[in-house]
Amino acid sequence: VKEIQEKERLALPLKLTERLWFKNNPGIRRPGLKFAMTPDEVQEYIKCKLSVYYFAEHYCKIKLEDGSIGQMKLRDYQKDIIRLYVENRYSILMASRQSGKTVSAAIVMLWTVLFNKDKGVMVVANKSTTVKEIVRKIKDIYKLLPFFLKTGIVNWNEKTLAFENGSRIQSENRTKEPAIGFTIDLLYLDEFAKIPDNIVRAYYASVVPTVSSISNSKIIITSTPDGHNLFYELLRDAELPEGDVHKNPYKALKVYWFQIKGRRDTKIKLIDEKLQKYGLTEDYVLNYLRNELEYKLYDKVVDGKICHYIKWYEDDEKT
């Protein structure tokens, strides 16, 4: 594969049997390609198939905070999110914005279709842009995987991904009546609380019995909170104690804003007029915070400007 990719880079002619990519799109493996893994690749493939965490932290690359592409490093609460999805048939997650809930779901969905035959995944969200963003995340992770982990693609568009192993990921916008044209083994409902109540209740009543009737199927519901609605009711009833007649089968998890690294950090805003009034300089104030008050400071580029932050101390540090 590396030799073929080098020939591509040098614009050398390729034989028909050397064409790797679906419709000549680099990174998207074409179907029907005969490929033998090395012994090491076989071992890595097995490890990824047996552990979604290994797959995520060793082979899933994502866009990092600085805009570069790098290896994903799961935060503790992201491991909890993935564990919730994988270990439970019915799961519901309430999470704050920018918590990584969507990329966690994207990894689980991709892992499901890559390492299993004939699996159907349906993605539903509150609006078309959200649906497309979820599918795009799945695509981006797939394209950056090493060649030996990729399954050949037979359909690749904004709303549908179909793999040569018979698995596929399909998406649809919010609607009262689900367009169920294939077996759904994993139903992912994102931003559930944002879907108007008159739409989501009808959709939920139609699709859940169908999905639940399939052996080993899963339903994953995620959202940021948005008042009293069906999402609130499902989450509330999921948290009831065992034995309560109103408890539903969902396993619940909450991820709060302060669990996200850097969310509690304090941005330092220095006002020039105040510095001049008291005869201070920026360096004096920053050194005072570091040396006298023993705060941990760091810099971060925001909108092209260097900003100073005070790091929030963790529980096992100074508070």
Side-chain angles (χ1 to χ4, degrees):
V1 170
K2 289 180 180 178
E3 290 174 359
I4 294 172
Q5 289 175 323
E6 180 62 16
K7 289 175 71 174
E8 288 179 330
R9 189 184 70 81
L10 297 173
L12 297 175
L14 298 177
K15 301 176 184 177
L16 287 175
T17 54
E18 292 180 323
R19 293 179 181 176
L20 303 175
W21 312 121
F22 175 70
K23 295 184 178 180
N24 295 319
N25 291 314
I28 308 172
R29 179 173 168 174
R30 72 174 176 86
L33 186 66
K34 293 183 178 180
F35 171 74
M37 299 183 197
T38 66
D40 288 341
E41 288 173 341
V42 170
Q43 291 302 314
E44 288 301 297
Y45 185 92
I46 292 171
K47 289 178 183 177
C48 290
K49 180 179 176 65
L50 294 177
S51 173
V52 64
Y53 311 104
Y54 188 88
F55 172 68
E57 294 202 300
H58 287 78
Y59 292 104
C60 291
K61 294 181 180 179
I62 59 171
K63 183 174 285 189
L64 304 176
E65 290 183 356
D66 61 2
S68 64
I69 301 296
Q71 190 62 50
M72 181 170 188
K73 178 65 176 176
L74 293 175
R75 301 164 182 160
D76 288 342
Y77 70 81
Q78 282 182 304
K79 293 179 182 178
D80 292 336
I81 291 174
I82 292 176
R83 187 176 299 111
L84 174 77
Y85 296 163
V86 173
E87 296 183 1
N88 298 282
R89 186 177 183 190
Y90 304 99
S91 54
I92 185 166
L93 169 70
M94 185 192 82
S96 69
R97 292 176 54 82
Q98 303 300 317
S99 60
K101 66 179 177 65
T102 304
V103 74
S104 299
I107 289 171
V108 170
M109 288 187 281
L110 181 59
W111 177 75
T112 299
V113 294
L114 285 180
F115 299 103
N116 295 280
K117 294 181 179 180
D118 302 316
K119 290 293 184 181
V121 175
M122 174 63 80
V123 179
V124 181
N126 60 321
K127 51 187 178 180
S128 61
T129 53
T130 305
V131 168
K132 291 177 181 178
E133 177 65 15
I134 296 169
V135 175
R136 186 189 64 78
K137 277 182 166 53
I138 296 171
K139 286 180 172 182
D140 289 346
I141 296 170
Y142 172 90
K143 290 172 73 173
L144 292 171
L145 290 173
F147 191 83
F148 75 92
L149 287 180
K150 296 181 181 185
T151 299
I153 296 293
V154 296
N155 193 2
W156 181 275
N157 58 52
E158 283 188 334
K159 301 189 72 174
T160 303
L161 305 180
F163 302 79
E164 66 176 330
N165 64 1
S167 295
R168 62 173 164 165
I169 298 172
Q170 191 166 313
S171 62
E172 66 178 12
N173 304 338
R174 67 188 194 190
T175 175
K176 287 186 177 181
E177 293 295 329
I180 301 174
F182 74 112
T183 300
I184 301 176
D185 298 282
L186 192 163
L187 174 64
Y188 177 58
L189 303 167
D190 191 35
E191 290 302 349
F192 197 75
K194 305 295 183 181
I195 304 174
D197 221 38
N198 64 315
I199 294 176
V200 75
R201 287 185 186 274
Y203 181 90
Y204 186 82
S206 298
V207 74
V208 169
T210 303
V211 177
S212 299
S213 65
I214 300 169
S215 177
N216 298 319
S217 61
K218 289 179 180 289
I219 298 176
I220 298 171
I221 298 176
T222 66
S223 188
T224 50
D226 192 22
H228 286 207
N229 44 37
L230 181 57
F231 177 75
Y232 166 81
E233 294 170 10
L234 291 173
L235 181 64
R236 177 199 62 196
D237 293 348
E239 294 181 310
L240 292 173
E242 294 294 337
D244 192 300
V245 294
H246 298 292
K247 181 175 175 57
N248 61 37
Y250 286 92
K251 180 71 175 180
L253 178 67
K254 293 179 179 178
V255 174
Y256 296 97
W257 65 271
F258 55 79
Q259 292 178 254
I260 302 166
K261 184 179 179 181
R263 284 285 176 90
R264 288 190 176 188
D265 294 356
T266 302
K267 183 179 179 181
I268 302 171
K269 185 175 182 181
L270 297 172
I271 303 172
D272 291 337
E273 292 80 359
K274 295 291 184 181
L275 292 175
Q276 293 175 6
K277 179 179 179 180
Y278 295 104
L280 302 174
T281 65
E282 180 178 312
D283 287 342
Y284 175 86
V285 174
L286 296 177
N287 287 330
Y288 180 81
L289 292 172
R290 287 192 189 97
N291 303 325
E292 298 298 325
L293 300 183
E294 298 182 349
Y295 285 127
K296 291 183 179 179
L297 272 61
Y298 67 92
D299 297 336
K300 184 169 70 173
V301 177
V302 179
D303 296 330
K305 297 181 180 179
I306 297 177
C307 300
H308 310 292
Y309 287 83
I310 299 175
K311 182 180 181 299
W312 174 268
Y313 290 97
E314 303 299 336
D315 293 339
D316 58 343
E317 300 182 86
K318 174 183 174 182
T319 56

